[in-house]
Amino acid sequence: MTFTAAGIGPGHSGLLGKLLAVVRAEFRTEIYRPAPGDPVFVALACAVADCDRVVSMRGLCNGHVIRWRHRGRPAMEEFLANPGRPVRGRQALAVCKIAGCRYGNLGKGYCAKHYERWRRAGRPDLDLWDAPNLVEPADAPAECRLSFCTLWAEGPQMLFWQNSWDDSLPGTATFYPGDIPPAPAPAVTVSRRLAEHVMAQVESEECLDRCDNPSGRLITLILVRGGLRISSVICLDFDCLLHDGQDAPYLRYFNTKMKREAAVPIDEDLEQAIRDHQQRVLERWPQGTGVLFPRPHANASGRLRISDGSYRQMLRRWLTTCDIRDEHGHPVHLTPHKWRHTFACRLINRDVPQEVVRVLLDHESSRMTAHYARITDQTVRRRWEAAMKVNIKGEHVELDASGPLGQAQWAKTRYGIATQTLPNGYCGLPVQKTCPHANACLTCPVFLTGPEFLPELREQHTRTLTLIDNAKSCGHARVAEMNQQVVDNLDRMISELDDGQDEAAADAG
């Protein structure tokens, strides 16, 4: 405890004077030295001889208490007579057994540098191996700055040392963080989003009702509908709901990665589920609790949060109980973070602006959000290229992904899918042009469709035939002629798509 000379003189008034008035005389010194036996400022030393650690319980430090328990709690006199080797952290650090080397021991008696060279030499017999001398005596590294350690220091802020890729470099060659260029971004990024086939099972009420843990069910709903990280969900406060001026609900949470508070909009169903869960928590802990997901066991106060591992165990049991399977019939293995990827990719697929997605995910920059957009675009492109598309003449339409115009052609098609999707197909018109066909898409040369629109095409075929019959009966020859072209195009497209599906079924069989 230290005071300046001005701080202890007389004549002080105000708060400082009042504080000094209640300070006892023995503390009115520039440096306070407590007595050796002071019960407040001086902790007792461990009863084991030569152990300078402070007492934890029963007159022993924590390390010796653990050792005493492992021995079956013998009489203290018997234990003190033979306490064993010094506890970890109080014994000398092992040094490399190669003569002249004073780096710390990693394994087999060797330091990291010699161990790697021994491994590359084929792991010969330790007594017969001729170990290289990595450091000249004149170039020996400095010793560790800790007074009790005589080992060589590896180097300040060292990332790793040279040991396996170039024998021409000296043994002390060191690479620092600034020396290593960033790894190049992968050309193709693998999506970690869940297939909609899996999500349809996960989100079904039947599967959700089979979750035997209400906390686990609500955590799952928040992960799926809010896109939060699991670390943020389990740390939710009890009072986590907010409302804006229009009384729209929001979920307030702590972004554990960015170390800041954030909020995400939620729907009324999720808000009601959270309120129901809050009521259950209050029924068990009437005195109140500060956390939304308290640990169910060994938690008398209700202030201990459920752990990440506990939820993952619930998730595995629930997936097994519901028999969730992928499109190939295999059991699904998923992690909570995959729901965040799925949440982001769903938003991108619905043409939500990327900046809005960034705010919802609480990303620091748009760079990470662009990662989801890139993955989603790759996924849609693969599915488009794999599906069979036909135009109004019944001709197959393909994208040459490897051709010189593959990327530009895909960009044009992607824009049409996003902004000009029709009830029974897609528009393939370039984005710079306006449509001259006035919604007569089935007579338009740039109209495309696929097998996913067969029900709509058949329904339109029936309606058009009915319209032609009515026009002929009323003497409207021009109307009948115009719609006859539509029927002819529909016949060709439906016939070609049916043939394609039959061939696909035969190949699968």
Side-chain angles (χ1 to χ4, degrees):
M1 184 177 298
T2 302
F3 294 99
T4 62
I8 61 175
H12 288 284
S13 60
L15 179 61
L16 179 58
K18 294 179 179 178
L19 291 174
L20 290 176
V22 298
V23 175
R24 297 205 305 259
E26 60 265 30
F27 294 112
R28 292 184 176 224
T29 178
E30 191 157 339
I31 299 177
Y32 174 70
R33 294 181 175 86
D38 193 301
V40 175
F41 293 97
V42 178
L44 298 177
C46 179
V48 175
D50 299 326
C51 180
D52 58 353
R53 293 190 173 189
V54 299
V55 169
S56 171
M57 61 180 297
R58 294 184 177 271
L60 301 175
C61 67
N62 187 60
H64 281 112
V65 166
I66 294 174
R67 186 176 296 177
W68 173 72
R69 288 172 176 168
H70 286 173
R71 290 189 183 181
R73 303 172 185 261
M76 191 57 64
E77 295 77 7
E78 177 185 346
F79 177 78
L80 293 176
N82 182 24
R85 299 176 58 187
V87 294
R88 185 174 300 174
R90 292 298 188 271
Q91 44 190 323
L93 300 177
V95 66
C96 180
K97 67 180 182 180
I98 300 300
C101 179
R102 293 202 57 78
Y103 284 120
N105 174 33
L106 173 69
K108 302 292 185 181
Y110 296 132
C111 65
K113 301 175 187 294
H114 282 110
Y115 181 86
E116 178 63 20
R117 281 162 173 76
W118 171 75
R119 185 187 65 79
R120 290 166 54 200
R123 302 176 184 268
D125 188 275
L126 299 179
D127 297 328
L128 302 179
W129 182 49
D130 185 16
N133 184 17
L134 302 179
V135 180
E136 296 297 331
D139 299 328
E143 288 188 354
C144 178
R145 290 184 293 175
L146 296 176
S147 60
F148 58 84
C149 180
T150 60
L151 299 180
W152 285 345
E154 298 283 1
Q157 297 180 351
M158 185 178 63
L159 181 64
F160 56 84
W161 53 88
Q162 182 274 335
N163 57 14
S164 61
W165 60 89
D166 190 352
D167 287 327
S168 64
L169 292 175
T172 55
T174 302
F175 289 83
Y176 295 87
D179 299 331
I180 311 301
V188 178
T189 308
V190 179
S191 173
R192 289 195 287 171
R193 64 169 298 185
L194 294 171
E196 289 301 324
H197 174 79
V198 175
M199 291 302 298
Q201 301 174 70
V202 169
E203 295 177 299
S204 68
E205 287 297 327
E206 180 183 358
C207 284
L208 290 172
D209 290 342
R210 299 183 70 179
C211 183
D212 57 357
N213 189 300
S215 295
R217 175 191 169 109
L218 181 57
I219 291 175
T220 301
L221 289 176
I222 295 175
L223 291 171
V224 172
R225 300 181 186 178
L228 275 64
R229 298 180 181 88
I230 179 61
S231 56
S232 294
V233 176
I234 61 177
C235 291
L236 285 172
D237 292 335
F238 183 83
D239 186 16
C240 59
L241 293 174
L242 300 173
H243 293 83
D244 61 13
Q246 288 75 39
D247 203 33
Y250 293 79
L251 183 67
R252 178 173 57 87
Y253 68 95
F254 182 75
N255 187 332
T256 53
K257 183 175 182 179
M258 305 308 302
K259 308 299 181 186
R260 64 190 182 196
E261 281 202 345
V264 62
I266 58 175
D267 55 53
E268 289 75 8
D269 292 340
L270 184 55
E271 178 192 18
Q272 187 59 48
I274 293 175
R275 294 198 182 281
D276 293 343
H277 180 75
Q278 290 172 332
Q279 187 61 37
R280 287 193 296 268
V281 172
L282 289 176
E283 289 175 358
R284 177 167 179 183
W285 289 278
Q287 74 278 12
T289 175
V291 299
L292 184 63
F293 297 108
R295 193 171 71 185
H297 306 294
N299 189 14
S301 66
R303 297 188 176 275
L304 299 179
R305 305 178 188 273
I306 193 172
S307 68
D308 174 281
S310 296
Y311 173 71
R312 292 177 187 270
Q313 291 179 3
M314 296 180 204
L315 178 60
R316 285 193 291 269
R317 291 196 301 267
W318 178 58
L319 293 175
T320 302
T321 301
C322 296
D323 195 26
I324 306 295
R325 295 181 177 269
D326 59 19
E327 56 267 31
H328 305 294
H330 301 146
V332 170
H333 170 73
L334 62 87
T335 60
H337 201 69
K338 286 186 177 181
W339 277 318
R340 181 173 173 86
H341 283 257
T342 306
F343 176 80
C345 290
R346 279 178 164 181
L347 294 176
I348 295 293
N349 278 340
R350 293 168 184 169
D351 298 311
V352 175
Q354 190 168 311
E355 177 61 17
V356 176
V357 178
R358 185 193 70 79
V359 173
L360 291 174
L361 296 177
D362 196 33
H363 283 153
E364 182 70 19
S365 68
S366 58
R367 182 177 179 182
M368 190 61 211
T369 312
H371 166 76
Y372 294 107
R374 183 171 61 253
I375 286 178
T376 302
D377 194 66
Q378 292 172 356
T379 303
V380 175
R381 178 170 183 165
R382 283 197 301 269
R383 292 185 178 179
W384 173 275
E385 292 170 351
M388 179 182 65
K389 299 291 181 288
V390 296
N391 59 19
I392 60 173
K393 299 178 182 178
E395 300 170 341
H396 288 263
V397 177
E398 297 181 357
L399 292 178
D400 185 7
S402 59
L405 295 178
Q407 193 65 29
Q409 188 179 8
W410 168 245
K412 176 181 77 73
T413 306
R414 181 71 175 90
Y415 183 87
I417 294 174
T419 62
Q420 303 180 62
T421 303
L422 305 169
N424 48 9
Y426 308 104
C427 178
L429 188 70
V431 296
Q432 295 86 354
K433 293 186 177 182
T434 57
C435 178
H437 299 282
N439 293 326
C441 291
L442 291 174
T443 60
C444 174
V446 294
F447 176 77
L448 306 175
T449 191
E452 66 270 30
F453 294 107
L454 269 173
E456 290 84 355
L457 293 172
R458 291 193 177 100
E459 181 182 354
Q460 187 163 0
H461 183 270
T462 302
R463 292 201 311 267
T464 308
L465 288 176
T466 303
L467 181 60
I468 291 174
D469 291 339
N470 293 336
K472 288 181 177 179
S473 63
C474 297
H476 298 158
R478 178 57 181 163
V479 174
E481 181 183 351
M482 291 173 56
N483 283 281
Q484 186 59 49
Q485 184 182 358
V486 173
V487 169
D488 293 341
N489 291 340
L490 283 169
D491 285 336
R492 286 191 291 268
M493 288 185 286
I494 293 173
S495 176
E496 187 64 30
L497 292 173
D498 282 337
D499 292 342
Q501 285 193 323
D502 292 341
E503 293 176 4
D507 293 340

